Amino acid sequence: FDIKEGEIFGVAGIAGNGQQELVEVLAGLRPSEGGQVLLDGKDITAASSQERWELGVGYIPADRIHIGSIADFSLVENVAMNYFFDANYLQGAALDYPKLRTLTEEMITKYDVATPGPETTAKSLSGGNLQKVILARVLSRKPHLVIAHLPTQGLDVGATEFVRNQLIAAQKENAGILLISEDLDEVLSLSDRVAPIYEGEFMDIIPGNQAKRESVGAMCAGINLEVDG
């Protein structure tokens, strides 16, 4: 499958049908057993996760606590995880901490993160505010491809709406968005194309304006209503 610039490609499915493996292969966290991963026509199948970041892949993991952040690190240090390789935020071989602190303060303001300040530890934030920091860290780099895995899972209504709006904003800036969600309504409301996944395979790829809740939901259970009646 492909994802176009300025498109939200939504993968709908029940947990355990290959979503995690797909995400890990695309993010460079799991070796591919076959096929190729291309970004802007460049083969990145063997590229490391850091190389993919540098080439313009952004990754918002499903587990914001154990994978998306380091609990005991400050927000500045958590932001630095996406900037440690950026020469603009280095002083020689060391991180330019004052510059990263300023960047983090700007993110806190722009993304309306409820926190005492940038030196606060990640573990002290609510789930919604931690997700805002992760979004800010990823989207501020203007990635070409955003892999968003369960981006609103466990969030309240306000934080959910904020996250969805940020993904739409990235789409408007021509990022391709891979949205993987177990919330069928979320996938149907946001996606330009919808791919129901079952046992590691897409049952179909459907234009968003033609995707119907009943048929997509059935495909997520391995049932194709058009074929199976």
Side-chain angles (χ1 to χ4, degrees):
F1 69 101
D2 61 1
I3 301 172
K4 301 177 176 64
E5 287 185 349
E7 174 187 40
I8 296 181
F9 185 99
V11 176
I14 301 165
N17 276 281
Q19 298 96 317
Q20 185 67 38
E21 291 80 4
L22 172 62
V23 164
E24 290 177 356
V25 166
L26 295 179
L29 302 174
R30 175 190 291 260
S32 172
E33 294 184 3
Q36 290 180 301
V37 180
L38 305 177
L39 180 68
D40 296 331
K42 181 177 181 178
D43 187 349
I44 62 168
T45 310
S48 68
S49 56
Q50 179 180 331
E51 289 170 331
R52 295 181 197 216
W53 278 112
E54 295 178 10
L55 290 169
V57 176
Y59 175 39
I60 301 166
D63 186 343
R64 67 182 69 95
I65 295 174
H66 299 104
I67 298 176
S69 63
I70 299 178
D72 292 323
F73 280 21
S74 72
L75 300 186
V76 177
E77 292 165 328
N78 272 276
V79 166
M81 290 194 292
N82 283 107
Y83 282 86
F84 70 90
F85 51 78
D86 190 328
N88 294 318
Y89 292 88
L90 297 175
Q91 287 184 326
L95 292 172
D96 188 336
Y97 197 89
K99 197 169 183 180
L100 283 165
R101 191 180 195 281
T102 298
L103 175 65
T104 304
E105 290 172 339
E106 292 171 352
M107 290 181 182
I108 288 170
T109 299
K110 181 177 179 180
Y111 283 75
D112 193 27
V113 180
T115 175
E119 303 300 337
T120 302
T121 58
K123 67 182 178 183
S124 70
L125 298 185
S126 68
N129 284 296
L130 181 56
Q131 190 72 332
K132 288 180 179 180
V133 172
I134 295 169
L135 277 172
R137 187 184 75 201
V138 172
L139 299 182
S140 63
R141 295 201 60 84
K142 306 296 183 186
H144 300 295
L145 171 66
V146 178
I147 304 167
H149 189 198
L150 308 183
T152 63
Q153 180 175 253
L155 303 184
D156 62 28
V157 174
T160 293
E161 182 180 6
F162 183 90
V163 169
R164 290 174 180 173
N165 287 339
Q166 292 305 314
L167 293 177
I168 292 170
Q171 175 196 20
K172 289 178 179 177
E173 293 183 0
N174 282 330
I177 314 287
L178 175 62
L179 171 64
I180 299 179
S181 177
E182 295 165 18
D183 183 337
L184 184 53
D185 291 330
E186 179 171 73
V187 172
L188 293 176
S189 65
L190 295 179
S191 303
D192 298 290
R193 288 187 293 160
V194 175
I197 190 170
Y198 177 73
E199 293 188 348
E201 295 186 6
F202 290 161
M203 296 287 287
D204 199 354
I205 297 177
I206 311 162
N209 59 6
Q210 298 176 24
K212 298 179 181 178
R213 196 177 196 282
E214 182 183 25
S215 58
V216 172
M219 288 182 192
C220 293
I223 302 166
N224 190 327
L225 294 180
E226 293 184 1
V227 174
D228 299 340

